[in-house]
């Protein structure tokens, strides 16, 4: 059972455009939703995260939008740059359960073309 | 650089063998998480240790085990290796307060031939 579904699998965006990656979750007990960025040969790096008590969080060019009733959240990358080309993973965890283990989506490979 | 270190970077071994992967968490982090990344399964949580004790188990095979030592470094032991165990193995560390933000190491790429 895949608890976090991520789409699209791959995305091609022109430089300067907006990249949008979507995730949907099933377990309503999830209360922490981070996004990770992974470059080839590297480990995932924490990019930005949100809790369900807010509907949006922005850090620089990266914005998370959160819709609790729809059990969906998305990552928006504004003014996408070739350096943003990487694989992005959404994740979810339950922070009050004693373990903060992450459940990941399958990932989105983003290519930003000049 | 996340501050989490993993060794070795690459490991090539034969089926049936046993290997040990090592992880040193960020300074001050008490929790170590192990994840497996494969093309078909994606990133999957294996096991978590907190201050030397096992705290949570995920999709970890019985052939796999882990431990965390008094200096907080952790080892993941994989035995009776099969071709399907070929994957990237990541450890992540966390202070485990608040949201438990996890910081990942560079990973160990295991190839079983």
């Amino acid at each position: 059972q895949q608890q976090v579904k991520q789409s699209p699998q791959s995305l091609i965006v022109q430089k300067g455009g907006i990249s949008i990656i979507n995730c949907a979750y099933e377990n309503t007990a999830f209360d922490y939703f981070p996004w990770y960025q992974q470059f080839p040969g590297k480990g995932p790096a924490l990019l930005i995260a949100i809790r369900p008590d807010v509907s949006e969080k922005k850090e620089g060019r990266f914005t998370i939008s959160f819709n609790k009733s729809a059990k969906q959240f998305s990552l928006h990358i504004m003014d996408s740059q070739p350096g943003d080309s990487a694989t992005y993973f959404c994740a979810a965890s339950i922070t009050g359960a004693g373990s903060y283990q992450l459940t990941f989506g399958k990932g989105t490979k983003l290519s930003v073309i000049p | 650089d996340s501050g989490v270190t993993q060794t070795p970077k690459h490991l090539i071994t034969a089926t049936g063998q046993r290997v040990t992967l090592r992880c040193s968490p960020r300074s001050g982090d008490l929790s170590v998480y192990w994840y497996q990344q494969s093309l078909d399964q994606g990133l999957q949580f294996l096991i978590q240790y907190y201050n030397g004790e096992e705290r949570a188990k995920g999709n970890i095979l019985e052939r796999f085990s882990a431990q965390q030592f008094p200096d907080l470094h952790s080892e993941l032991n994989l035995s009776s290796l099969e071709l399907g165990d070929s994957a990237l193995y990541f450890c992540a560390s966390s202070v485990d307060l608040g949201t438990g933000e996890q910081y990942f190491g560079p990973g160990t790429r295991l190839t079983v031939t």
Side-chain angles (χ1 to χ4, degrees), chain A residues 63-85:
Chain A
T63 299
I64 301 179
S65 296
F66 189 86
N67 186 329
K68 188 174 181 178
S69 60
K71 293 188 287 184
Q72 294 175 348
F73 57 110
S74 59
L75 176 69
H76 296 235
I77 305 174
M78 313 300 286
D79 187 26
S80 299
Q81 299 296 312
D84 297 330
S85 297

Side-chain angles (χ1 to χ4, degrees), chain A residues 59-113:
Chain A
E59 287 183 5
R61 296 184 295 109
F62 301 92
T63 299
I64 301 179
S65 296
F66 189 86
N67 186 329
K68 188 174 181 178
S69 60
K71 293 188 287 184
Q72 294 175 348
F73 57 110
S74 59
L75 176 69
H76 296 235
I77 305 174
M78 313 300 286
D79 187 26
S80 299
Q81 299 296 312
D84 297 330
S85 297
T87 300
Y88 292 81
F89 294 92
C90 62
S93 73
I94 304 168
T95 60
S99 171
Y100 298 86
Q101 65 191 75
L102 294 166
T103 299
F104 282 91
K106 292 283 191 184
T108 297
K109 186 173 182 180
L110 171 65
S111 300
V112 181
I113 53 177

Side-chain angles (χ1 to χ4, degrees), chain B residues 17-89:
Chain B
Q17 295 298 304
R18 182 180 188 274
V19 298
T20 297
L21 314 183
R22 183 188 169 106
C23 168
S24 292
R26 294 185 319 160
S27 176
D29 286 356
L30 298 178
S31 259
V32 170
Y33 298 76
W34 287 97
Y35 292 86
Q36 180 193 58
Q37 185 175 38
S38 62
L39 281 174
D40 53 345
Q41 296 295 322
L43 266 163
Q44 288 207 306
F45 168 70
L46 295 178
I47 196 165
Q48 178 204 359
Y49 274 79
Y50 177 83
N51 203 19
E53 301 214 347
E54 181 185 304
R55 178 169 271 189
K57 255 184 175 178
N59 298 321
I60 188 166
L61 299 171
E62 282 193 15
R63 301 183 284 108
F64 296 2
S65 65
Q67 53 185 329
Q68 186 178 29
F69 295 87
D71 66 353
L72 299 178
H73 91 271
S74 177
E75 293 181 354
L76 180 67
N77 301 296
L78 315 176
S79 61
S80 303
L81 285 166
E82 301 175 0
L83 295 177
D85 298 327
S86 296
L88 273 165
Y89 291 85

